[in-house]
Amino acid sequence: MTKFVSIVGNGESRMGFDMTPLKLFSTVVGCNAIFRDYVCEYLVCADKHMCQEAVNTVGKGTTIYTRDKWVNQFAMWPNVIKIPHLPYKGDQRKDEPFHWGTGPYAGVVALTFKPKAIFMLGFDLYPVGKKVNNIYRDTKGYEYIKRPVDPSYWVHQFHKLMELFPNVRWIVVNQEKWKMPEEWSQHKNVYQETYEGMAKFINKQLTKPK
């Protein structure tokens, strides 16, 4: 069992936040192009082109999760493995495995460590100032994204994970004025925190007497 897992998306809210201490107190699961700036223990790349860039960039110390549909295409890289199966079956399009994206799958990966708490950073869902809310917008692999992505699938998929694992605390870290979806806030095991609060929490964990 892992006490804490941090899953890191690429929403612009996390710009300026020092992620270096994350791995000192938690297991870190990153999403897509985060590897360009930060070395994660675990990386989820649901898109094949992003997985290809990752295997050409990261070292063997990073485990990369990708879809079973094309994991065999990366057989020569032993650190590339299949994304875990979804913990439920639903009857909606948004419940189908292929319609789960990298972010929600990072939550699935996080749950495999059986953590007490999962911290979600950079999962903004909605645009903040600009149409495309992604730190890596307009860079390689993201050029095709020209308009805001509908977050309804992400909201639903994380809602399912929060519902299915009530003993896991989900702490959504974002800016103070960010509004959490009602689908998430209805759960008693889901909390909201600011980046400032997160930094204080990390410092407290790292300075605890051993």
Side-chain angles (χ1 to χ4, degrees), residues 49-170:
H49 68 275
M50 191 56 64
C51 186
Q52 184 65 65
E53 182 184 345
V55 297
N56 291 332
T57 305
V58 305
K60 295 180 180 179
T62 296
T63 299
I64 304 172
Y65 293 86
T66 194
R67 298 185 191 275
D68 57 4
K69 184 177 181 179
W70 42 66
V71 70
N72 289 338
Q73 297 181 37
F74 298 95
M76 64 182 295
W77 286 276
N79 58 324
V80 179
I81 62 177
K82 296 179 183 178
I83 293 173
H85 292 298
L86 297 183
Y88 77 103
K89 290 185 179 180
D91 54 7
Q92 301 183 60
R93 188 171 185 267
K94 61 185 72 173
D95 295 315
E96 297 173 6
F98 191 75
H99 292 295
W100 275 59
T102 295
Y105 266 131
V108 176
V109 170
L111 287 165
T112 65
F113 297 103
K114 297 179 169 40
K116 291 184 177 180
I118 296 174
F119 295 89
M120 298 172 58
L121 295 81
F123 290 90
D124 298 353
L125 302 178
Y126 311 104
V128 180
K130 298 182 179 180
K131 289 184 178 180
V132 179
N133 181 358
N134 192 298
I135 290 175
Y136 302 104
R137 68 175 182 275
D138 299 327
T139 66
K140 182 181 178 182
Y142 292 87
E143 303 96 333
Y144 69 97
I145 304 177
K146 300 299 182 183
R147 59 183 180 179
V149 177
D150 180 1
S152 61
Y153 277 34
W154 302 336
V155 172
H156 172 79
Q157 291 157 0
F158 273 114
H159 155 68
K160 295 298 294 185
L161 298 180
M162 295 163 176
E163 179 182 54
L164 289 166
F165 295 87
N167 293 326
V168 176
R169 287 175 289 155
W170 298 78

Side-chain angles (χ1 to χ4, degrees), residues 17-18 21-22 25 197-207:
F17 180 76
D18 182 11
L22 284 180
F25 91 104
M198 180 69 179
K200 291 179 181 178
F201 176 80
I202 294 173
N203 184 62
K204 184 177 180 180
Q205 295 300 309
L206 298 181
T207 55

